[in-house]
């Protein structure tokens, strides 16, 4: 359950600390603790609650891996929930990360599909000038890491959306392509719903909670907000593009079907003429037109062909054939 337990002091890149020693280390005036957890159980979280003085409602939410993205203020600490995304084959898996942020601590809890935060810890350790601001800087690094994964997934999906558009610009109906587009639109909706709340979370961090988020770090949080906004815009644009492509495909299929129906109707009209003429000779009456004339048969056939040819030429000029 414990991925990492580090204490950061001025001029120090970070040292490991045991969970049992947290309550003592956290009393140091210029030190803060970053505790990384992976799907902890209720018993362990009860211990963490006592060590850090967390609110019981926030701890209860942290144990539940089905929270909506949000930011909540509990006493002297914040509880933040963000969605994480992980692209796997042709699917987009969602997970969650929960953050407890106080003046002397940062607790990150991962649930479900999520990449390791080891690169984030390394990045934070390489910037001692910003680590002096306390847990706010690692929080920024985590949010930036999560949003960067949104952007990477958005770029990957954008390439696939372009290919899907090409597949849809045809007059043939392809059920498989339409199903792929529907699945893609679901992935894009999931991405949008993951990135959109991050804007509001960052907005609150920028304008509120000055005791936890120092002013020098607010420009960094604003950058994360801007990246999240771009992801939301891109996801919405791609969904709109796919919707338009599906409509164009259906329009092309409908036009193609109309062309086929016009051709069938045109040939049907041409065949009506010989059907009427020759069916007359199958009638059982005595005075048949030109029946005893030498030129009666070729005349009937010739006039029939002439009428059919004239109708064919007229339909051809009108674009039906």
């Amino acid at each position: 359950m414990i991925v990492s337990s580090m204490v950061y002091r001025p001029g120090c890149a970070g040292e490991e600390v045991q969970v049992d020693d947290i309550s003592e280390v956290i009393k140091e005036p210029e030190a803060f603790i970053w505790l990384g957890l992976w799907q902890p159980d209720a018993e362990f979280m009860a211990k963490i609650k006592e060590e850090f003085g967390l609110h019981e409602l926030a701890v209860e939410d942290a144990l539940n891996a089905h929270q909506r993205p949000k930011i909540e203020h509990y006493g002297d600490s914040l509880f933040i929930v963000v969605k994480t995304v992980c692209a796997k084959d042709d699917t987009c898996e969602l997970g969650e990360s929960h953050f407890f942020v106080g003046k002397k601590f940062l607790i990150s809890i991962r649930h479900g599909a999520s990449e390791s935060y080891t690169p984030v810890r390394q990045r934070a350790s390489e910037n001692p000038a910003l680590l002096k601001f306390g847990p706010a800087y690692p929080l920024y690094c985590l949010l930036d890491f999560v949003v960067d994964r949104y952007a990477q997934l958005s770029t990957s999906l954008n390439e696939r959306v372009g290919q899907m558009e090409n597949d849809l610009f045809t007059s043939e109906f392809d059920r498989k392509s339409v199903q792929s587009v529907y699945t893609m639109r679901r992935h894009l909706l999931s991405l949008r719903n993951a990135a959109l709340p991050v804007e509001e979370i960052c907005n609150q961090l920028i304008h509120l909670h000055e005791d936890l988020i120092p002013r020098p770090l607010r420009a960094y949080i604003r950058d994360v907000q801007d990246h999240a906004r771009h992801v939301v815009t891109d996801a919405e644009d791609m969904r709109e593009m796919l919707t338009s492509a599906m409509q164009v495909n259906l329009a092309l299929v409908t036009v193609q079907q109309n062309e086929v129906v016009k051709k069938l109707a045109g040939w049907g009209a041409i065949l009506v003429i010989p059907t009427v003429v020759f069916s007359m000779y199958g009638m059982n009456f005595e005075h048949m037109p030109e029946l005893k004339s030498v030129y009666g048969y070729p005349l009937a056939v010739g006039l029939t062909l002439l009428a059919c040819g004239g109708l064919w030429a007229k339909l051809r000029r009108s674009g039906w054939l």
Side-chain angles (χ1 to χ4, degrees):
M1 291 181 291
I2 302 177
V3 179
S4 175
S5 179
M6 305 289 290
V7 57
Y8 295 87
R9 299 181 177 91
C12 178
E15 299 176 357
E16 290 191 12
V17 60
Q18 299 298 319
V19 175
D20 294 333
D21 298 331
I22 288 177
S23 57
E24 294 299 323
V25 174
I26 206 172
K27 295 177 182 178
E28 298 181 21
E30 296 185 345
F32 75 89
I33 291 176
W34 182 358
L35 180 62
L37 305 177
W38 166 257
Q39 298 185 172
D41 57 28
E43 182 180 356
F44 182 79
M45 283 303 297
K47 183 177 182 180
I48 296 300
K49 172 180 175 293
E50 296 300 324
E51 292 288 337
F52 290 96
L54 304 178
H55 197 281
E56 58 181 352
L57 292 178
V59 172
E60 181 181 346
D61 287 345
L63 289 170
N64 184 3
H66 300 285
Q67 298 292 320
R68 62 176 179 82
K70 60 183 178 179
I71 178 171
E72 294 180 342
H73 191 199
Y74 291 98
D76 296 331
S77 64
L78 295 176
F79 178 61
I80 300 173
V81 179
V82 295
K83 292 289 184 181
T84 54
V85 295
C86 185
K88 187 175 182 181
D89 298 329
D90 290 334
T91 62
C92 174
E93 297 184 3
L94 291 178
E96 290 181 19
S97 282
H98 302 171
F99 306 130
F100 289 93
V101 189
K103 294 180 180 179
K104 306 295 293 293
F105 64 86
L106 170 64
I107 305 173
S108 58
I109 305 174
R110 291 188 293 133
H111 291 278
S114 174
E115 296 185 28
S116 171
Y117 289 150
T118 299
V120 184
R121 284 189 289 273
Q122 182 178 357
R123 173 187 175 185
S125 299
E126 293 173 351
N127 291 275
L130 294 175
L131 270 177
K132 70 180 182 180
F133 293 110
Y137 179 66
L139 174 64
Y140 152 72
C141 293
L142 288 169
L143 292 175
D144 188 54
F145 181 83
V146 170
V147 173
D148 280 347
R149 294 304 173 272
Y150 294 164
Q152 291 177 8
L153 179 59
S154 176
T155 301
S156 175
L157 295 180
N158 189 37
E159 295 175 357
R160 291 167 57 188
V161 166
Q163 182 59 45
M164 287 182 175
E165 276 192 300
N166 294 333
D167 294 340
L168 287 174
F169 276 91
T170 174
S171 58
E172 300 295 330
F173 180 76
D174 188 345
R175 182 182 297 272
K176 185 177 180 180
S177 295
V178 174
Q179 289 175 340
S180 298
V181 168
Y182 179 76
T183 302
M184 176 60 70
R185 294 186 78 248
R186 289 182 58 188
H187 292 335
L188 291 171
L189 181 61
S190 298
L191 177 60
R192 175 204 178 265
N193 291 342
L196 184 60
V198 176
E199 285 192 68
E200 177 57 29
I201 291 173
C202 291
N203 186 59
Q204 288 200 34
L205 293 176
I206 292 169
H207 296 96
L208 305 174
H209 316 297
E210 189 171 353
D211 55 330
L212 298 176
I213 311 296
R215 285 188 176 274
L217 289 179
R218 297 193 172 193
Y220 293 88
I221 301 294
R222 190 178 297 109
D223 183 65
V224 175
Q225 183 185 36
D226 184 60
H227 291 172
R229 185 179 297 113
H230 279 299
V231 172
V232 172
T233 302
D234 290 344
E236 291 177 345
D237 289 345
M238 284 187 283
R239 292 186 76 238
E240 183 64 27
M241 288 167 59
L242 287 177
T243 300
S244 299
M246 289 181 64
Q247 292 174 346
V248 170
N249 176 255
L250 293 175
L252 291 174
V253 171
T254 301
V255 169
Q256 178 66 17
Q257 291 176 342
N258 289 340
E259 291 296 323
V260 172
V261 171
K262 285 167 63 177
K263 287 180 172 59
L264 292 175
W267 285 110
I270 293 174
L271 292 176
V272 165
I273 296 174
T275 300
V276 172
V277 174
F278 299 135
S279 64
M280 180 180 63
Y281 286 90
M283 297 180 183
N284 192 18
F285 57 90
E286 182 177 355
H287 301 290
M288 187 69 68
E290 304 296 337
L291 188 60
K292 295 181 179 180
S293 172
V294 177
Y295 303 102
Y297 173 73
L299 183 61
V301 173
L303 290 175
T304 300
L305 293 176
L306 182 62
C308 290
L311 182 58
W312 177 86
K314 184 175 180 59
L315 292 175
R316 181 78 173 181
R317 285 195 303 270
S318 64
W320 278 58
L321 295 178

